[in-house]
Amino acid sequence: MVKRSRSPSATPPSKSVDGQTLTELGQQTLAVIEKVTQSRGDKGVWPAVKPGDLAAKFDKDPPDGPTDYGQILQKLESKVFPGALSWQHPRFMAYYPSSSSVPAILSETVIASIGSVGLQWTSNPIGTELEVVIMDWVAKFLGIGPAFHHSSGVGGGIIQGTAGESMLNMMICARTRMHRRKNPKLSWEDAFYQDASSYVVYTSDQAHFSAEKACRLAGLRCRRVKATLDEADKNFTLRPSDVQNAIEKDRAAGLQPLALILTYGSTNTSGTDDVASFKQLAEEEKLWVHVDAAYAGAAWSLEEFRKDAQAVSDVVTSVNMNGSKWFLCGFDSAFLWVRDRKLLLDVFSASDAFMADVEHTSIYNPEFKDWSVPLGRRFRSLRIWMVFEYFGTNGLRSYIRDAIDQASYLRQRIEESPHYEQPVNTKFGLVCVRSTKGEEATKALANHLQAQGYGIVPSKICGAEALRIALGGASTTKAIVEELWQEMVKFAESS
Ligand code: PLP
């Protein structure tokens, strides 16, 4: 083979080394993606591999010269796609969905073609301004109140990498706010280095572990208060009285309440904490209230969940929701809103002589580098914008409603069946199920469904085996859910 060398400076970004244009190579690449997407349903969700199998398919060293693009595509098909867990598969029902879409896929190419680094407004004005616009769009779509919109000039939203990062950032801000409250004359720097060892953050034992991790990384104690299995709701919820009791116990031991992390849509069972019921406690104890709605926040876009978004708007200091889960935006699009942007600026503001001086005369140059950890930021708002333009709010709402309808249908079938039961009443697109024949039968069902190509992961609810069936995948249809149910019935009747 002739060895060529690729010189980036000699190759304009719209041409390959062989002179093929971006359009030609793009079409070939999209054809491969299309082929893989169309044949996805014929295969299982899980790649049949063990650790090391995939790495062994790749050379130990990088290639010296350029590889023919056709060969790169062949390698993509033979070495890359087969090693990926098929998250976009119609039978993928594990974890929570990570729903991608045509505009989310294509937007990544546009983002890479612009290739900007959003250091500050000057370094990519449209990157900053579209993020401002988009964060207000999403807030309005979800019914998160005007106080959290950029247009308020006080609150606002920012796209983060993950929900975990959002919670970490909020806990660091909560700590700093408390120090400044105690001593308003402290400089922000001094405020940051005060002793925080007596501060406690309260959250539910059903909260995602990333809430606890955020507290740990922020140097804060985290008290996981036991959630109650609510009689009416038949799901887990945190009670204000239980948090109050925990606070009193901690106070007697010389500790001090700092913050509360509530969950809207817990990962294991989709349980929700009643945010409105914490208003009084939060005010009395002057708590920073954060709501983690990483998965279920999407439901606020529907009329029947609007009152929950209203409660969030009334009570919280900050709230996060993932556009990558049940929102067609793909990874990474973790939305975070705060009621008061100043609380972020106190912690994250930083600059240097090589940065442009910015006069904050407009809401459209908020300098996101001062709102979070990274200086360089991806142009993620473009993806969210393309998704909204492509589907419209009506399209997004009907996708979200479809998942709820599919889950309601499955819950109804389980309710009527002698073979299965629901350990808790789940909400949104999640269904939790176990066999009425006990633990072993539930484990056997999980193994059987996985062998049949379903992406379903077992879990434990109240210490007992249960299957989580998370609907909401962009290509999962009611017919697929019906097929799953028939498979479950067949399995129960034959075992
Ligand atoms: N919070 C909830 C309720 C979740 O369901 C998840 C993930 O499933 C997370 C937080 C963690 O999300 P991330 O990976 O964005 O940190």
Side-chain angles (χ1 to χ4, degrees):
M1 195 178 123
V2 183
K3 288 251 174 182
R4 292 162 294 164
S5 71
R6 179 173 283 160
S7 155
S9 58
T11 313
S14 59
K15 284 254 171 70
S16 76
V17 279
D18 301 323
Q20 284 178 288
T21 62
L22 182 65
T23 311
E24 287 160 348
L25 299 185
Q27 278 168 349
Q28 291 167 29
T29 312
L30 289 176
V32 171
I33 295 175
E34 194 88 58
K35 187 170 137 197
V36 171
T37 304
Q38 276 169 8
S39 62
R40 201 175 261 150
D42 310 334
K43 305 191 176 93
V45 168
W46 309 99
V49 288
K50 53 183 193 322
D53 283 357
L54 299 167
K57 291 187 183 182
F58 293 83
D59 295 335
K60 288 261 181 290
D61 296 299
D64 291 336
T67 307
D68 172 75
Y69 197 74
Q71 277 185 32
I72 297 179
L73 290 179
Q74 273 173 19
K75 288 180 186 184
L76 261 181
E77 278 195 71
S78 62
K79 301 183 182 197
V80 176
F81 282 110
L85 176 58
S86 198
W87 281 76
Q88 308 307 319
H89 194 293
R91 291 194 294 275
F92 184 91
M93 299 165 189
Y95 316 112
Y96 273 135
S98 177
S99 50
S100 191
S101 60
V102 167
I105 295 167
L106 296 178
S107 66
E108 285 295 334
T109 307
V110 183
I111 292 166
S113 78
I114 295 173
S116 67
V117 185
L119 310 173
Q120 58 181 152
W121 182 91
T122 339
S123 72
N124 183 18
I126 184 63
T128 302
E129 298 208 10
L130 197 54
E131 190 155 338
V132 170
V133 169
I134 273 310
M135 288 307 295
D136 279 8
W137 276 17
V138 183
K140 283 184 200 161
F141 179 61
L142 298 180
I144 294 173
F148 294 82
H149 301 180
H150 281 275
S151 56
S152 70
V154 181
I158 178 171
I159 306 175
Q160 304 275 293
T162 62
E165 283 167 54
S166 302
M167 286 191 266
L168 169 60
N169 289 352
M170 291 306 91
M171 289 307 100
I172 295 171
C173 292
R175 190 180 67 173
T176 307
R177 180 178 80 163
M178 175 65 103
H179 287 140
R180 288 196 117 179
R181 268 188 180 158
K182 282 184 174 170
N183 184 353
K185 291 200 182 116
L186 280 180
S187 71
W188 72 264
E189 189 179 349
D190 287 340
F192 201 75
Y193 292 112
Q194 298 296 299
D195 178 16
S197 61
S198 64
Y199 297 167
V200 189
V201 180
Y202 298 85
T203 194
S204 153
D205 64 350
Q206 299 295 311
H208 194 276
F209 59 77
S210 59
E212 186 172 343
K213 197 198 260 191
C215 298
R216 200 193 308 153
L217 294 177
L220 301 166
R221 291 168 196 269
C222 180
R223 200 69 74 230
R224 275 181 174 269
V225 179
K226 195 164 171 32
T228 304
L229 189 52
D230 188 75
E231 285 281 309
D233 201 32
K234 293 208 168 41
N235 204 325
F236 295 99
T237 189
L238 189 61
R239 292 239 165 98
S241 55
D242 291 334
V243 176
Q244 179 81 67
N245 290 340
I247 290 177
E248 277 160 22
K249 226 165 122 194
D250 282 337
R251 196 169 265 132
L255 302 177
Q256 204 183 345
L258 174 79
L260 181 61
I261 300 181
L262 300 175
T263 307
Y264 188 86
S266 66
T267 315
N268 208 25
T269 69
S270 70
T272 50
D273 297 332
D274 177 5
V275 178
S277 71
F278 284 90
K279 189 174 170 65
Q280 193 185 344
L281 177 68
E283 282 172 3
E284 283 170 8
E285 297 289 355
K286 296 190 170 47
L287 300 172
W288 181 298
V289 183
H290 179 83
V291 167
D292 173 20
Y295 160 64
W300 294 331
S301 61
L302 305 180
E303 202 45 51
E304 60 269 37
F305 296 102
R306 268 295 147 117
K307 65 172 192 343
D308 296 341
Q310 185 59 51
V312 166
S313 309
D314 290 345
V315 175
V316 310
T317 323
S318 53
V319 51
N320 73 270
M321 178 261 169
N322 281 18
S324 56
K325 291 195 188 317
W326 184 22
F327 215 61
L328 296 174
C329 289
F331 202 80
D332 51 347
S333 13
F335 308 123
L336 170 70
W337 292 271
V338 287
R339 191 183 285 281
D340 183 357
R341 59 181 70 187
K342 200 172 162 303
L343 300 168
L344 303 177
L345 301 179
D346 273 356
V347 171
F348 297 111
S349 284
S351 201
D352 212 330
F354 51 81
M355 304 299 291
D357 277 342
V358 178
E359 247 192 279
H360 289 279
T361 48
S362 155
I363 57 161
Y364 295 108
N365 64 347
E367 297 303 280
F368 284 124
K369 73 170 173 50
D370 298 336
W371 287 46
S372 185
V373 177
L375 167 60
R377 309 185 72 245
R378 259 163 48 73
F379 191 3
R380 291 180 283 215
S381 55
L382 186 87
R383 178 153 33 84
I384 322 302
W385 171 73
M386 278 181 65
V387 167
F388 267 89
E389 290 285 352
Y390 186 88
F391 294 105
T393 52
N394 291 338
L396 268 175
R397 265 195 207 96
S398 76
Y399 152 75
I400 292 163
R401 188 170 293 293
D402 265 1
I404 296 180
D405 289 350
Q406 290 169 14
S408 304
Y409 174 79
L410 189 55
R411 285 194 279 262
Q412 191 62 39
R413 300 282 79 77
I414 296 168
E415 189 70 35
E416 296 160 0
S417 163
H419 305 300
Y420 296 110
E421 62 190 11
Q422 297 174 75
V424 286
N425 276 359
T426 52
K427 300 174 197 174
F428 317 114
L430 184 71
V431 180
C432 290
V433 62
R434 66 185 172 208
S435 166
T436 46
K437 290 185 200 138
E439 292 277 282
E440 289 311 313
T442 304
K443 278 189 203 162
L445 174 69
N447 291 337
H448 174 74
L449 291 178
Q450 283 187 3
Q452 294 298 309
Y454 287 93
I456 293 178
V457 181
S459 183
K460 284 203 160 47
I461 298 175
C462 298
E465 288 291 324
L467 264 64
R468 287 178 72 264
I469 302 174
L471 301 171
S475 57
T476 304
T477 56
K478 179 112 181 269
I480 295 279
V481 175
E482 177 62 30
E483 265 174 43
L484 165 69
W485 175 242
Q486 292 308 329
E487 193 61 49
M488 287 170 66
V489 171
K490 206 166 76 190
F491 179 74
E493 287 174 351
S494 65
S495 52

